[in-house]
Amino acid sequence: ELKLKNVHLQVGDQLRVKGFLPNGANRFSVNLGAGEQDLALHFNPRLQTGSAGGRYTLVVCNSLAGGCWAEEQRQNSQGFWRGQH
């Protein structure tokens, strides 16, 4: 687990996250916000296996305000693979 605090981002700034997904990983998340109860962005790729045995990633994004989750946005993706950077 990695936590960065007091990172001040401004309009036009970019945040790049690079990591490695272990073979046993099922999901990870990147959270940006003012605190644990207020997230402007919750980015949560979930590595799935479909009913036909195919593998895919379901990316779930939403936000959290005052401890209340907003509506999730979900999209299938091919961008994340176990055992890869």
Side-chain angles (χ1 to χ4, degrees):
E1 183 174 322
L2 171 66
K3 289 188 179 187
L4 299 174
K5 294 186 176 191
N6 300 319
V7 177
H8 299 281
L9 298 175
Q10 298 179 7
V11 173
D13 287 348
Q14 293 182 7
L15 176 67
R16 293 180 184 217
V17 177
K18 184 176 181 179
F20 177 79
L21 285 174
N23 284 323
N26 292 322
R27 64 177 62 195
F28 70 92
S29 63
V30 174
N31 297 311
L32 301 175
E36 292 185 18
Q37 296 296 309
D38 290 293
L39 301 175
L41 173 66
H42 171 70
F43 176 77
N44 180 219
R46 301 174 185 177
L47 289 79
Q48 311 278 321
T49 301
S51 58
R55 298 181 190 274
Y56 67 97
T57 303
L58 175 66
V59 176
V60 178
C61 294
N62 60 0
S63 60
L64 181 68
C68 296
W69 287 105
E71 183 177 346
E72 290 183 345
Q73 303 296 313
R74 294 171 168 246
Q75 183 172 336
N76 290 337
S77 171
Q78 296 293 324
F80 302 97
W81 303 100
R82 291 179 183 101
Q84 306 232 347
H85 285 89

